[in-house]
């Protein structure tokens, strides 16, 4: 059987591996270790913060190894998951179909979304269990004509507390993440190497022959007929650059800013994260307890249960870059203006809820939806193989998205990764015929 290497086991990697195994003998190389949720009680980081030990968001890895934080020069905090399940293990479980940009370049994901509808449990059943704060906020949004709607969640609601810790890893297993697809790929015979950080892809005579990876202290070469990069919007561009394959400086990240206030008994820390959403142009607004700000931002002084917070998430400009050494991403004047207008709207919402304007404080500007460094174009839509990549090398992650979604991308990335895998398998609409299958 021909062989395929899938790099990364997050949204795109796990979906691609599951789809490829059987037609290919799949090896998943995952840089991180097996995912474990943060086991600590929130009181521990709270104590560490009060004693001044939590002074930089990058320290989160000491407490929670699966969460990796990088900072840009402008201070933007970039969050991603490194471990089995990638960033999906840190997600709040939102599941939206957001393929307008892909459709515009000619990629039809109808079939893949139907399949995901069967494979991933999604519901808004959590609405029946919202706490008083969430219900009142929803009413305020409605009264203001913001047309809030409950967010569909990837979870098995009967097992969900809710405990409010989705971004720290689900302790009960109620939340769906891409480890389920990874597990199904392994059940079908795929192999997984954790702690295997791919450095570069190997190419001979214009076609991929495998990858070189660090596994522990060793550097190893893995041969394959096909390589699928799904190391995420910050990981795949670095592997491409290490391999002499340039990307475009089109990085988007969906920046997040929280507007918060003290509110006794808000209990958002124990509520489902992002229970509902309202859209306003390039931003969405949603109630959200921001753990990273709570742990590291000195303005977040009230006890966790006594903070009321609204998240602003922006579909930012495709202007930024990733290299091995650093990520460059500075909000453009347009991005800043959109965030500023959203802050005013949040202040208005908070005011109607009963918060005094002078009590407002902000979260740390952060982001967790990187992508766009090698966006699909109309010319690539039929093959799903960007023309600048050598034969046999594919991408199946957020790197391919043509523009910022400004909203939760997991479902869309998984649909796209499935489509890429089908194209590789040579399903309807074609594509690649592995060397081994051709007998060359
Ligand atoms: C706190 C938070 C909450 C979020 N909530 C939601 C949500 O509710 N809904 C939603 O749709 N989206 C959410 N997102 C965004 C979403 O999780 C990501 O956009 C999505 O997982 C990206 O998928 P991906 O396949 O591109 O990359 P990832 O899921 O990040 O997977 C990349 C994988 O590659 C591995 N890797 C990286 N480098 C290498 C290498 N060199 N070699 C081998 N392996 C490597 C990583 O360890 C990881 O497993 C959230 C993000 C964050 C940070
Ligand atoms: S609220 Fe808690 S139990 Fe429910 S899905 Fe999130 S982490 Fe799991």
């Amino acid at each position: 059987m021909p062989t395929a290497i899938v790099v990364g086991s997050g949204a795109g990697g796990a979906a691609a591996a599951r789809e490829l195994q059987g037609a290919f003998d799949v090896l998943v190389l995952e840089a991180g270790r097996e995912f474990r949720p943060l086991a600590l009680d929130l009181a521990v980081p709270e104590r560490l913060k009060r004693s001044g030990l939590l002074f930089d968001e990058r320290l989160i890895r000491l407490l929670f190894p699966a969460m990796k934080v990088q900072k840009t020069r402008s201070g933007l905090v970039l969050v991603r998951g490194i471990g089995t399940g990638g960033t999906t293990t840190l997600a709040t479980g939102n599941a939206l179909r957001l393929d307008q940009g892909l459709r515009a370049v000619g990629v039809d994901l109808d079939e893949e979304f139907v399949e995901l509808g069967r494979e991933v449990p999604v519901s808004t059943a959590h609405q029946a269990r919202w706490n008083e704060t969430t219900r009142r906020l929803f009413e305020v949004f409605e009264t203001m004509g913001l047309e809030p709607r409950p967010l569909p969640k990837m979870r098995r609601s009967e097992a969900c507390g809710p405990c409010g810790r989705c971004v720290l890893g689900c302790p009960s297993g109620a939340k769906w993440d891409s480890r389920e697809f990874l597990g199904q790929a392994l059940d079908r015979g795929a192999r997984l190497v954790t702690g295997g950080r791919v450095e570069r892809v190997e190419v001979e005579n214009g076609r991929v022959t495998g990858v070189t990876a660090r596994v522990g202290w060793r550097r190893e070469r893995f041969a394959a007929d096909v390589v699928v990069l799904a190391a995420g919007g910050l990981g795949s561009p670095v592997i491409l650059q290490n391999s002499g394959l340039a990307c475009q400086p089109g990085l988007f990240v969906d920046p997040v800013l929280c507007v918060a206030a003290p509110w006794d008994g808000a209990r958002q820390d124990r509520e489902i994260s992002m229970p509902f959403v309202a859209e306003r142009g390039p931003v969405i607004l949603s109630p959200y307890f921001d753990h990273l700000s709570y742990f590291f931002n000195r303005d977040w002084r009230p006890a966790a249960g006594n903070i009321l917070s609204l998240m602003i998430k922006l579909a930012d400009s495709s202007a930024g870059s990733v290299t091995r050494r650093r990520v460059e991403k500075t909000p453009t004047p347009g991005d800043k203006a959109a965030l500023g207008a959203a802050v005013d709207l949040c202040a208005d919402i908070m005011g109607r809820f009963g918060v005094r304007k002078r009590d407002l404080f902000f979260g740390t500007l952060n982001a967790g939806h990187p992508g766009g460094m090698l966006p699909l174009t109309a010319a690539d839509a039929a093959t799903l193989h960007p023309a600048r990549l050598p034969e046999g090398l594919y991408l199946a992650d957020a790197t391919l998205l043509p523009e910022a979604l400004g909203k939760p991308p997991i479902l869309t990335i998984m649909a796209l990764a499935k489509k890429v895998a089908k194209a590789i398998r040579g399903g309807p609409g074609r594509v690649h015929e592995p060397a081994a299958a051709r007998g060359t």
Side-chain angles (χ1 to χ4, degrees), residues 155 159-166 169-172 174-175 271-272:
R155 78 188 57 208
C160 170
C163 68
R165 293 173 67 112
C166 290
C170 181
S172 73
K175 188 178 80 177
E271 176 62 303
I272 201 92

Side-chain angles (χ1 to χ4, degrees), residues 156-228:
R156 297 187 169 86
S157 43
E158 61 288 354
C160 170
C163 68
R165 293 173 67 112
C166 290
V167 302
L168 306 175
C170 181
S172 73
K175 188 178 80 177
W176 190 95
D177 64 52
S178 69
R179 286 177 300 163
E180 291 203 20
F181 275 176
L182 177 64
Q184 288 160 10
L186 299 180
D187 289 346
R188 293 172 189 176
R191 289 167 300 135
L192 168 69
V193 172
T194 54
R197 177 171 295 282
V198 171
E199 295 180 328
R200 50 178 289 129
V201 289
E202 302 299 339
V203 180
E204 278 171 32
N205 301 324
R207 88 160 278 119
V208 77
T209 57
V211 302
T212 298
R214 278 259 176 206
V215 185
W217 296 106
R218 293 188 318 277
R219 181 168 278 141
E220 283 187 44
R221 180 106 188 249
F222 295 86
D225 297 297
V226 166
V227 173
V228 181

Side-chain angles (χ1 to χ4, degrees), residues 35-338:
F35 176 77
R36 301 238 178 283
L38 177 71
L40 292 177
D41 189 271
L42 284 198
V44 176
E46 200 171 310
R47 270 202 302 277
L48 291 172
K49 176 181 164 182
R50 288 193 203 293
S51 58
L53 289 171
L54 294 186
F55 53 86
D56 186 310
E57 291 80 1
R58 285 169 284 204
L59 293 171
I60 191 71
R61 265 200 121 173
L62 300 177
L63 300 175
F64 186 25
M67 185 181 273
K68 179 172 179 180
V69 165
Q70 276 173 279
K71 275 185 177 175
T72 65
R73 244 199 296 245
S74 63
L76 175 64
V77 167
L78 298 166
V79 186
R80 60 177 155 149
I82 298 290
T84 53
T87 314
T88 68
T89 56
L90 312 181
T92 62
N94 301 319
L96 294 177
R97 175 175 180 166
L98 300 164
D99 57 332
Q100 300 89 332
L102 287 163
R103 186 172 286 279
V105 297
V107 180
D108 176 358
L109 296 177
D110 283 352
E111 183 183 299
E112 288 69 28
F113 279 111
V114 169
E115 288 170 13
L116 286 169
R118 288 195 297 265
E119 294 158 357
V120 180
V122 176
S123 92
T124 55
H126 56 88
Q127 184 173 11
R129 302 180 64 184
W130 287 353
N131 69 19
E132 174 64 18
T133 307
T134 304
R135 285 203 300 271
R136 270 201 61 211
L137 274 172
F138 192 81
E139 280 164 22
V140 171
F141 272 64
E142 276 185 321
T143 313
M144 291 176 69
L146 295 171
E147 298 173 23
R149 56 189 170 109
L151 269 166
K153 299 280 178 186
M154 295 178 263
R155 78 188 57 208
R156 297 187 169 86
S157 43
E158 61 288 354
C160 170
C163 68
R165 293 173 67 112
C166 290
V167 302
L168 306 175
C170 181
S172 73
K175 188 178 80 177
W176 190 95
D177 64 52
S178 69
R179 286 177 300 163
E180 291 203 20
F181 275 176
L182 177 64
Q184 288 160 10
L186 299 180
D187 289 346
R188 293 172 189 176
R191 289 167 300 135
L192 168 69
V193 172
T194 54
R197 177 171 295 282
V198 171
E199 295 180 328
R200 50 178 289 129
V201 289
E202 302 299 339
V203 180
E204 278 171 32
N205 301 324
R207 88 160 278 119
V208 77
T209 57
V211 302
T212 298
R214 278 259 176 206
V215 185
W217 296 106
R218 293 188 318 277
R219 181 168 278 141
E220 283 187 44
R221 180 106 188 249
F222 295 86
D225 297 297
V226 166
V227 173
V228 181
L229 294 183
L234 300 178
S236 292
V238 172
I239 299 171
L240 289 172
Q241 287 156 27
N242 288 347
S243 317
L245 299 161
C247 293
Q248 287 169 217
L251 180 71
F252 56 75
V253 294
D254 288 0
V256 164
L257 179 67
C258 283
V259 180
W263 192 267
D264 284 350
R267 299 276 31 160
Q268 278 185 314
D269 62 325
R270 302 261 168 175
E271 176 62 303
I272 201 92
S273 296
M274 299 185 69
F276 65 82
V277 70
E279 288 189 50
R280 275 296 179 265
V283 301
I284 59 169
L285 307 180
S286 181
Y288 181 66
F289 181 81
D290 181 353
H291 283 86
L292 216 53
S293 292
Y294 180 64
F295 293 160
F296 291 95
N297 186 323
R298 280 158 201 230
D299 292 339
W300 286 55
R301 284 193 204 96
N306 297 335
I307 294 177
L308 181 72
S309 168
L310 291 177
M311 162 203 279
I312 301 164
K313 189 180 297 246
L314 170 72
D316 56 330
S317 316
S318 297
S321 61
V322 186
T323 63
R324 191 147 47 109
R325 298 200 188 287
R326 74 164 21 113
V327 181
E328 297 286 355
K329 181 75 205 177
T330 307
T332 63
D335 294 340
K336 285 183 187 159

